[in-house]
Amino acid sequence: MLVANQNPLHRLALPLLGSLIEKTRHTAHVSTRDHHSMLVMARVLSPDALRVTLQLGDRRPLHAAAAGKIFLAHLSEDQFESFVAEAGTPALTDETITKPKDLKAQLASIRRFGIAWNIGESAVGVGAVAAPVMSSDGAVVAVSSVFPLTLVRTPDRYFIAEHVRKTARELSVALGWNDKSEVKGHKK
């Protein structure tokens, strides 16, 4: 897609996503927030036949995607309440977190540990892990690895999470982030 290739985020992310899938063998993507959805801006597909496929421009509800939860975790309390009032938290599967109180608790954990999980919440049999990528202007983007749950045992999920976290840090640095930068939309 020509437009995506002209986007600096896309250009910077592709080689890092390529390195991530070499280590994990699972599809990886970078997403941004677009109102009440996460929007896939860059992606590299797993080389394996059994894989989760996302396309550039695909959207997922914020509350049911690992990358989406990264964005929600960086909202202020008022912004989160507005999101819930406008978008709601509808069930996409039996695993989707639909109660705002439960989602808030998970977002607190995401802020504490810097990692978000989706274990069958947006699609049956699909899992994902995401970490925040910060740009120089404080905007939050997210990097995720998505995988078929039947293929990835719990200990392997933590291996994937560490590599997603490392890739997110590398992309943050490439985008000009440093730990003195302020994060938009979230009080430190």
Side-chain angles (χ1 to χ4, degrees), residues 155-174:
D156 296 332
R157 293 176 191 168
Y158 294 105
F159 170 84
I160 294 168
E162 281 310 308
H163 285 288
V164 165
R165 197 185 321 247
K166 181 177 182 274
T167 300
R169 279 193 305 267
E170 290 171 352
L171 184 53
S172 294
V173 169

Side-chain angles (χ1 to χ4, degrees), residues 18-183:
S19 294
L20 178 60
I21 68 156
E22 284 176 13
K23 294 174 182 89
T24 67
R25 302 206 49 87
H26 295 289
T27 298
H29 66 87
V30 171
S31 301
T32 58
R33 180 178 174 206
D34 186 31
H35 200 49
H36 299 312
S37 301
M38 55 148 264
L39 173 66
V40 177
M41 296 294 292
R43 63 105 166 103
V44 176
L45 294 175
S46 166
D48 295 341
L50 185 55
R51 64 182 175 212
V52 176
T53 303
L54 293 167
Q55 302 299 326
L56 293 177
D58 277 358
R59 295 172 189 276
R60 299 285 184 275
L62 294 176
H63 74 287
K69 292 178 196 177
I70 292 291
F71 300 119
L72 292 177
H74 286 85
L75 295 179
S76 68
E77 181 73 23
D78 289 343
Q79 290 169 323
F80 176 78
E81 295 300 329
S82 292
F83 164 79
V84 170
E86 292 172 19
T89 54
L92 303 179
T93 72
D94 289 344
E95 302 302 322
T96 307
I97 297 172
T98 59
K99 295 179 182 168
K101 181 179 104 178
D102 295 341
L103 183 57
K104 264 187 183 179
Q106 192 173 83
L107 298 177
S109 177
I110 292 166
R111 285 189 290 274
R112 182 174 175 204
F113 296 107
I115 205 87
W117 295 94
N118 162 8
I119 307 298
E121 296 170 54
S122 62
V124 174
V126 176
V129 59
V133 173
M134 310 305 220
S135 67
S136 62
D137 68 354
V140 177
V141 297
V143 62
S144 293
S145 179
V146 293
F147 45 83
L149 288 172
T150 56
L151 293 182
V152 182
R153 299 170 304 150
T154 300
D156 296 332
R157 293 176 191 168
Y158 294 105
F159 170 84
I160 294 168
E162 281 310 308
H163 285 288
V164 165
R165 197 185 321 247
K166 181 177 182 274
T167 300
R169 279 193 305 267
E170 290 171 352
L171 184 53
S172 294
V173 169
L175 291 170
W177 168 258
N178 65 58
D179 60 4
K180 293 178 178 56
S181 301
E182 188 172 320
V183 179

